[in-house]
């Protein structure tokens, strides 16, 4: 006899998630991969665990941006607004939900793929300053506040 799940629809085999992390500002992705693979290997050896995997790939491209906070404040641009713009531009930002055709649909803001294909595309972003009237000529480019790391 199988005991039903405590919440209908979740199931009995939801599993769990674990994350490994580099501390101290290190960018040694090979070391992180070694540790992650060791954890996966040890978990796979446990007969109570099945389908243990990792999505971490050290060869994936990494782009880092350093925000010049002093320059941002000089241009009267909130550093938080810079990070919010980057989040929406590279990833996506949840806006809201609406109901249509009996479905609850979610709305996300995201830059079109053609504007974020290359790392240098990040340097073409603009962020609105706190004192401006909304016009393209008065927006501050992210390039004025960020440097790309390879």
């Amino acid at each position: 006899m199988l005991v039903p799940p405590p919440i209908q629809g979740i199931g009995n085999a939801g599993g769990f998630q674990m994350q490994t992390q580099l501390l101290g500002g290190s960018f040694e992705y090979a070391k992180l991969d070694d540790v992650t693979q060791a954890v996966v290997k040890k978990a796979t050896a446990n007969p109570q665990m099945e389908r243990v995997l990792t999505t971490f790939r050290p060869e994936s491209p990494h782009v880092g941006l350093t925000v010049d906070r002093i320059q941002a404040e000089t241009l009267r641009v909130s550093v938080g607004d810079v990070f919010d713009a980057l989040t929406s531009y590279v990833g996506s930002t949840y806006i809201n939900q609406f109901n249509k055709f009996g479905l609850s649909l979610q709305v996300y803001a995201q830059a079109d793929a053609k504007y974020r294909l290359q790392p240098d595309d990040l340097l073409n972003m603009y962020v609105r300053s706190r004192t401006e009237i909304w016009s393209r000529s008065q927006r501050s480019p992210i390039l004025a506040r960020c440097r790309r790391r390879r």
Side-chain angles (χ1 to χ4, degrees):
M1 179 170 127
L2 293 174
V3 178
I7 301 173
Q8 290 293 329
I10 298 294
N12 289 333
F16 64 92
Q17 179 176 320
M18 174 184 238
Q19 296 181 356
T20 55
Q21 155 182 356
L22 281 172
L23 300 176
S26 171
F27 291 99
E28 298 177 55
Y29 296 115
K31 181 179 178 182
L32 179 61
D33 186 46
D34 292 342
V35 171
T36 302
Q37 294 304 326
V39 169
V40 169
K41 186 177 180 180
K42 189 162 187 162
T44 303
N46 185 332
Q48 295 177 325
M49 294 193 190
E50 296 179 3
R51 296 185 217 132
V52 179
L53 61 94
T54 179
T55 58
F56 177 67
R57 302 288 178 262
E59 64 275 1
S60 296
H62 300 277
V63 175
L65 294 173
T66 304
V67 177
D68 184 344
R69 294 167 187 266
I70 295 170
Q71 179 69 14
E73 290 300 325
T74 301
L75 295 171
R76 305 218 14 99
V77 174
S78 165
V79 174
D81 289 347
V82 173
F83 290 124
D84 288 344
L86 281 167
T87 298
S88 296
Y89 195 80
V90 177
S92 62
T93 300
Y94 172 78
I95 304 296
N96 66 4
Q97 290 181 311
F98 67 95
N99 294 318
K100 190 168 187 176
F101 308 120
L103 300 172
S104 181
L105 304 171
Q106 296 181 346
V107 179
Y108 287 89
Q110 182 179 45
D112 195 8
K114 66 183 177 183
Y115 297 112
R116 54 190 175 94
L117 286 176
Q118 302 298 321
D120 285 337
D121 292 340
L122 294 173
L123 305 177
N124 296 323
M125 291 177 44
Y126 287 84
V127 178
R128 184 177 179 182
S129 74
R130 285 178 250 165
T131 58
E132 82 172 51
I133 299 170
W134 187 249
S135 72
R136 183 168 174 82
S137 63
Q138 293 178 325
R139 286 183 283 171
S140 304
I142 291 284
L143 176 60
R145 292 173 303 287
C146 295
R147 291 182 300 277
R148 191 171 65 111
R149 282 190 310 232
R150 293 179 194 229

